Amino acid sequence: MPQPTYNGFETVIGLEVHAQLATRSKLFSASPNQFGMAPNRNINPVCTAQPGALPVLNRQAVTYAIRAALATNCRLNEVSIFSRKNYFYPDLPKGYQISQFDKPIAEHGWLEIEFENEPGTRESKRVGITRIHIEEDAGKSQHMAGYSLVDLNRAGTPLIEIVSEPDFRGPAEAAAYLKKLRAILQYIEVCDGNMQEGNLRCDANVSVRRIGETKLGTRAELKNLNSFRFLEKAVEYEIHRQINVINSGGRIVQETRLYDSARNVTQSMRSKEEAHDYRYFPEPDLPPLVVKPDWIAEVQATMPELPSAKAERFVQEFGLPEYDAKVITSDKALAHFYERAVAKSAGEPKLVSNWLMTEVLRMLKESDKEIEDCPFPAEHLGNLVALIKSGEISSKIAKTVFEEMWASGQEPAVIVKEKGLVQVSDPAAIEAAVRKVMQNSPKNVEEYRAGKEKLFGFFVGQVMKETQGKANPALVNDIVKACLKGEK
Ligand code: ADP
Ligand code: MG
């Protein structure tokens, strides 16, 4: 197994992922749970901690947490407890966050991840999920020149925190897990997974140890990594930093660090607090949360389709190879794009998959875009495939049409019409082109007829050129053959 090693060291990584739940209201009050509002609009006495205001638990948030737990193979605890996590912060008006501590809603889950530690070495492994707990988000401070402002819109937003076991042995594994987890949360519709908006946030705990050592090294926690790329780069930097410290005789201190993406370094933010610093105690204003088996069964019964189930369905229903099905379903938006395209493709799901996996993904990668930013709608790709299927355009012309679709977002049929790209399937027209080519190269005709059969390709090429690539390739083959043999 090509586990990355670093000059006699190996690395150990565990992730804490915070996912904002897509409920309509906040975790403990009726304030709207909505992103992007003007400051301090989505607030009420509970999220602003007015004296005497009491929390009331949002049932939908618990339902979403149960969904996430089931989708990540966790065991649900019938009784879980909300606790107060005490700390002072200007954007935390209560002076504590309501979270779950020693009795979280779910524990002991796992996910199967696929990754490449080195290019071309695709492998998979099962990684552990320690726990999922429900908690509320804090507000946000905005630092201005010389003063700060507090916006409490985010205060009380429902979150689940998903804590992994320290099971990752390199940055690629950690990123693969985060991608998979994000996809699952999006599929089950509990979290939008928008990392730029802070909707899904990731902290990476990183330590190193000498190969053969079984004790874990001291970890540093890298806070709020808001993209897959930053996660990988921050972890990579941190591994080298820690090894350098150890190799030069120093010791790693347990601390919280921030990643500076502009400089590609991690910097110490504060020494790491321990659980006892938070003075956790059970929240007296909320009863224990009881999740009975019938609630779990109800959530299970209404669970949206998971990526693995969708991939299996794509194999069954569309005859896709397993690899294609996995790539396409690894992202909910991509899978949705595919299904919409297939619906328009005149029954050619495999051809749609080929175009999506090669041309579309390649162009997205080259322009550093996501499928959501594709310049044309999914239906256009389906229409393009239908035009190929009906013989209206050749696969070769389709590439030209595709380029134009990418550039202008225009309907493929319109492009074909405007650019005069319709395939020539009229045998007489093709024969005329063949005759012309033969007339222009009498020597090649003679040599071909004398047995130099590999000249066949030359004639086909010339005829395609003559017809500006628009001739139906199968017909060209037949007619060239017949004419050269003198059958026509
Ligand atoms: P805290 O909130 O104090 O960071 P958590 O239990 O919520 O504690 O999360 C700890 C995370 O750090 C887990 O993902 C765990 O797998 C990971 N972890 C613990 N010890 C190490 C270590 N020595 N090296 C790397 N990761 C670690
Ligand atoms: Mg932590």
Side-chain angles (χ1 to χ4, degrees):
M1 186 176 80
Q3 173 178 320
T5 55
Y6 299 81
N7 284 328
F9 285 89
E10 71 169 355
T11 163
V12 174
I13 304 158
L15 298 188
E16 293 161 78
V17 175
H18 287 89
Q20 287 182 347
L21 301 177
T23 53
R24 277 192 292 177
S25 54
K26 290 188 179 174
L27 186 54
F28 298 118
S29 78
S31 270
N33 173 25
Q34 210 179 348
F35 181 83
M37 298 288 281
N40 295 310
R41 296 296 286 275
N42 297 342
I43 56 174
N44 70 9
V46 174
C47 14
T48 55
Q50 303 304 311
L54 291 173
V56 178
L57 181 59
N58 181 336
R59 186 182 165 90
Q60 187 63 33
V62 179
T63 292
Y64 283 168
I66 297 171
R67 248 194 224 170
L70 292 174
T72 53
N73 310 294
C74 284
R75 249 185 269 153
L76 280 141
N77 289 324
E78 184 159 328
V79 178
S80 62
I81 304 288
F82 286 100
S83 291
R84 288 189 183 180
K85 181 181 183 180
N86 299 280
Y87 60 99
F88 173 78
Y89 230 70
D91 58 18
L92 188 72
K94 290 201 298 291
Y96 59 85
Q97 197 181 358
I98 304 179
S99 181
Q100 294 187 311
F101 177 53
D102 49 351
K103 290 227 165 51
I105 185 161
E107 293 171 279
H108 310 299
W110 53 265
L111 281 185
E112 192 85 24
I113 58 166
E114 284 175 1
F115 53 89
E116 288 185 7
N117 276 329
E118 283 161 32
T121 60
R122 201 172 165 84
E123 47 184 316
S124 66
K125 79 174 187 189
R126 181 179 283 200
V127 294
I129 290 173
T130 316
R131 53 192 266 135
I132 295 182
H133 62 254
I134 302 173
E135 65 182 22
E136 59 177 338
D137 213 340
K140 246 182 169 174
S141 298
Q142 278 187 35
H143 304 292
M144 319 302 277
Y147 62 100
S148 294
L149 296 170
V150 171
D151 176 5
L152 293 178
N153 280 347
R154 202 178 69 176
T157 296
L159 294 175
I160 47 174
E161 179 173 341
I162 304 156
V163 181
S164 87
E165 290 290 301
D167 282 350
F168 311 106
R169 293 292 171 271
E173 297 178 25
Y177 166 81
L178 186 59
K179 274 185 196 155
K180 177 117 189 206
L181 187 58
R182 174 176 178 256
I184 288 175
L185 295 173
Q186 289 178 327
Y187 267 87
I188 62 176
E189 295 164 10
V190 307
C191 173
D192 298 339
N194 187 331
M195 297 184 72
Q196 263 79 48
E197 287 181 4
N199 199 278
L200 186 76
R201 309 194 289 267
C202 173
D203 305 338
N205 294 270
V206 180
S207 66
V208 298
R209 63 182 172 193
R210 290 190 194 278
I211 290 170
E213 177 66 66
T214 49
K215 249 182 62 202
L216 292 178
T218 304
R219 67 178 156 127
E221 184 186 49
L222 312 179
K223 272 270 170 219
N224 281 340
L225 302 163
N226 68 358
S227 79
F228 299 116
R229 207 158 57 92
F230 290 167
L231 166 63
E232 283 194 71
K233 291 181 89 166
V235 168
E236 188 73 35
Y237 173 87
E238 182 61 18
I239 293 166
H240 290 285
R241 185 191 71 83
Q242 292 187 9
I243 291 171
N244 284 339
V245 169
I246 294 169
N247 279 341
S248 51
R251 280 184 49 206
I252 304 298
V253 289
Q254 182 158 321
E255 62 181 351
T256 298
R257 299 179 69 88
L258 277 185
Y259 176 62
D260 177 345
S261 59
R263 292 169 50 222
N264 190 31
V265 296
T266 64
Q267 283 168 307
S268 181
M269 181 167 117
R270 57 170 187 247
S271 73
K272 171 79 184 138
E273 54 293 301
E274 303 280 349
H276 62 249
D277 295 324
Y278 288 118
R279 296 292 189 270
Y280 279 100
F281 65 88
E283 165 62 66
D285 291 336
L286 286 167
L289 170 59
V290 179
V291 176
K292 287 263 165 62
D294 54 346
W295 192 354
I296 300 172
E298 186 191 312
V299 175
Q300 183 73 275
T302 54
M303 181 81 104
E305 189 177 38
L306 284 166
S308 51
K310 204 187 242 324
E312 235 166 76
R313 184 164 65 77
F314 280 8
V315 171
Q316 299 295 329
E317 198 175 316
F318 299 135
L320 294 190
E322 213 166 287
Y323 178 77
D324 295 28
K326 272 193 178 155
V327 172
I328 293 173
T329 56
S330 68
D331 181 288
K332 190 185 174 195
L334 187 63
H336 186 55
F337 189 97
Y338 174 72
E339 286 186 291
R340 277 164 51 209
V342 168
K344 292 276 175 190
S345 71
E348 288 292 323
K350 179 70 178 87
L351 206 47
V352 174
S353 159
N354 291 349
W355 279 85
L356 190 60
M357 301 268 296
T358 54
E359 303 304 312
V360 178
L361 290 188
R362 179 176 58 81
M363 291 301 281
L364 289 175
K365 196 165 176 197
E366 275 174 19
S367 49
D368 205 14
K369 284 184 170 154
E370 302 280 332
I371 190 71
E372 286 92 334
D373 317 313
C374 183
F376 53 80
E379 288 73 15
H380 287 192
L381 184 68
N383 291 339
L384 179 71
V385 167
L387 289 176
I388 302 171
K389 167 105 190 281
S390 70
E392 208 152 321
I393 56 174
S394 66
S395 305
K396 192 156 172 273
I397 291 290
K399 291 241 159 84
T400 311
V401 178
F402 179 81
E403 274 166 32
E404 188 56 34
M405 282 160 62
W406 188 273
S408 68
Q410 189 57 268
E411 268 272 4
V414 174
I415 296 169
V416 168
K417 201 161 161 221
E418 279 179 2
K419 305 227 158 196
L421 294 171
V422 179
Q423 176 159 273
V424 177
S425 296
D426 171 13
I430 295 175
E431 192 181 327
V434 175
R435 298 258 172 245
K436 191 164 168 205
V437 170
M438 285 170 69
Q439 239 160 41
N440 291 342
S441 325
K443 219 168 151 255
N444 281 343
V445 175
E446 207 173 294
E447 283 181 22
Y448 177 86
R449 286 182 172 158
K452 201 169 169 191
E453 294 207 346
K454 50 174 208 251
L455 278 171
F456 186 73
F458 161 81
F459 290 104
V460 171
Q462 289 300 305
V463 173
M464 289 313 272
K465 215 171 178 183
E466 185 64 32
T467 55
Q468 284 131 26
K470 288 186 282 186
N472 177 322
L475 275 178
V476 171
N477 264 308
D478 291 349
I479 296 173
V480 167
K481 209 170 274 169
C483 290
L484 284 172
K485 280 194 183 151
E487 289 167 1
K488 261 190 187 260

